[in-house]
Amino acid sequence: MNIKWYTDFIRISGVHIDFDATFFSGQCFRWKKMDDFYIGVVDEKIIFIKPQDEDTFDIYNCSPDEFKKSFYWYFDLDKDYDEILEKLSGHDSILKEAVEKYRGMRLLNQEPFECMISFIISQNNNIKRIQLLIERLCQAFGKKITYKGFVSWSFPTLESLWSSSIDDLKLLGLGYRAEYIKDAVEKVKNGLINFDELTDLEVQKAKQVLKTIKGIGDKVADCILLYSLQKYNVFPIDVWVKRVLKEYYGFKTKDQIRDFINSFGDLAGYAQLFLFHYIRNNHKK
């Protein structure tokens, strides 16, 4: 990987990232595509990304130091994706096809508090609706930020959501999720949920802690563990993944599913990401 600094952007080359697949695979919700650019909010900054070719992209409003400190981690660049994808492709023919189709997709490592609130909002929602609700939450409780004439809002801090009421949140259209968000905020504020401690815990223990939050079940807990706490051996299961396991693999029992997940070891989360995106975009209705 090479990094070259220009006047108002840095150019990253030697890294293959499929930004469509990465940003719109259901693992994050604050990126959008406008013309040739991907625009998102990360670490309270508006970020522009412009792909140049398959292995080169420009990133705006980000210094080389910020890239190395934040985005190297965010885009999972410390991993050998050639090795990961080779192992996934060799597992079975379905994963091989998924990897071939979305080879440049990356698993994002996100900020835990934002990830937790976002996936609480994701329950029983489609992606467009999730994005809308998160944007309303940010406009109501985040900080207004601008870059090159583009206006957005940072994700709300713990303190700003702590000062909100359930009724405030319901006014945004969050419905019953408002109560879940307040419970999560209170548990983080009171130290009952500590993300540093969760990172150090064994995955099942960390999962049980997250499930003490009202409204968080297995799927949401697994998404938080996978996308923000580096528990890469979890395998979130939603309706799409259930469809893959039943229709594509023919699994009928919990034991079959458990053995399948365990067969991936620490790559289970990567396998789930590729299978989820593949079935959601290629399933014949």
Side-chain angles (χ1 to χ4, degrees):
M1 181 180 69
N2 297 308
I3 303 176
K4 189 174 182 180
W5 172 249
Y6 291 83
T7 303
D8 59 349
F9 66 89
I10 58 174
R11 176 161 292 170
I12 311 299
S13 58
V15 179
H16 178 32
I17 301 181
D18 179 340
F19 290 104
D20 270 342
T22 299
F23 291 148
F24 309 127
S25 57
Q27 60 175 320
C28 64
F29 306 104
R30 298 217 66 201
W31 287 92
K32 60 184 71 176
K33 190 174 184 180
M34 296 181 64
D35 299 322
D36 296 330
F37 287 87
Y38 296 89
I39 302 174
V41 179
V42 181
D43 292 341
E44 297 190 348
K45 295 183 70 175
I46 296 171
I47 302 296
F48 288 9
I49 290 178
K50 184 177 183 180
Q52 295 297 324
D53 57 42
E54 190 176 77
D55 300 314
T56 304
F57 63 93
D58 299 335
I59 181 167
Y60 292 75
N61 203 19
C62 175
S63 71
D65 285 344
E66 287 173 326
F67 180 82
K68 291 176 182 176
K69 181 180 179 181
S70 298
F71 284 91
Y72 188 83
W73 173 253
Y74 184 74
F75 286 121
D76 212 29
L77 294 176
D78 62 323
K79 308 294 193 311
D80 185 341
Y81 265 68
D82 287 337
E83 181 181 351
I84 290 171
L85 299 184
E86 183 179 354
K87 289 180 178 178
L88 294 182
S89 296
H91 189 276
D92 60 71
S93 60
I94 299 166
L95 258 172
K96 182 178 181 181
E97 187 172 342
V99 167
E100 288 176 352
K101 194 170 185 67
Y102 302 109
R103 188 167 191 84
M105 183 162 58
R106 292 258 165 179
L107 191 154
L108 299 176
N109 294 297
Q110 302 171 61
E111 194 282 320
F113 182 72
E114 177 175 346
C115 186
M116 177 183 67
I117 300 299
S118 297
F119 277 100
I120 289 174
I121 292 172
S122 77
Q123 296 178 78
N124 300 312
N125 258 329
N126 60 54
I127 289 179
K128 286 186 177 180
R129 177 72 176 166
I130 298 164
Q131 291 171 327
L132 173 64
L133 292 174
I134 291 175
E135 194 65 20
R136 287 178 184 173
L137 186 73
C138 293
Q139 290 184 22
F141 298 104
K143 178 176 67 176
K144 187 176 181 179
I145 50 178
T146 61
Y147 178 68
K148 290 185 177 293
F150 189 85
V151 178
S152 191
W153 287 262
S154 65
F155 196 84
T157 63
L158 172 65
E159 294 299 331
S160 65
L161 288 182
W162 171 258
S163 66
S164 69
S165 69
I166 290 176
D167 287 340
D168 291 335
L169 296 173
K170 285 185 174 181
L171 286 173
L172 303 177
L174 288 163
Y176 63 86
R177 302 172 193 86
E179 192 173 342
Y180 299 168
I181 290 170
K182 282 299 291 183
D183 189 61
V185 168
E186 288 171 3
K187 283 185 167 64
V188 175
K189 177 74 172 178
N190 294 329
L192 298 175
I193 300 293
N194 182 301
F195 294 115
D196 289 334
E197 291 178 0
L198 289 177
T199 301
D200 293 334
L201 284 178
E202 184 271 330
V203 65
Q204 290 303 322
K205 291 182 179 178
K207 185 173 180 176
Q208 289 306 313
V209 173
L210 286 172
K211 287 173 65 176
T212 63
I213 296 172
K214 193 170 185 177
I216 289 187
D218 288 334
K219 186 259 182 178
V220 169
D222 282 343
C223 287
I224 298 166
L225 292 170
L226 177 59
Y227 299 128
S228 69
L229 296 175
Q230 297 78 61
K231 306 297 187 185
Y232 301 113
N233 59 333
V234 302
F235 191 96
I237 297 178
D238 72 341
V239 292
W240 287 104
V241 176
K242 285 180 181 177
R243 188 172 293 172
V244 175
L245 299 176
K246 181 180 178 181
E247 297 181 15
Y248 283 61
Y249 290 95
F251 296 149
K252 297 179 181 179
T253 68
K254 290 182 179 180
D255 287 344
Q256 287 176 315
I257 294 172
R258 184 194 63 238
D259 291 344
F260 177 74
I261 294 172
N262 289 341
S263 70
F264 293 105
D266 288 338
L267 298 184
Y270 294 91
Q272 187 275 352
L273 180 64
F274 276 91
L275 288 173
F276 172 83
H277 193 59
Y278 175 76
I279 187 66
R280 199 166 61 89
N281 287 279
N282 297 278
H283 182 70
K284 295 178 181 179
K285 297 180 181 179

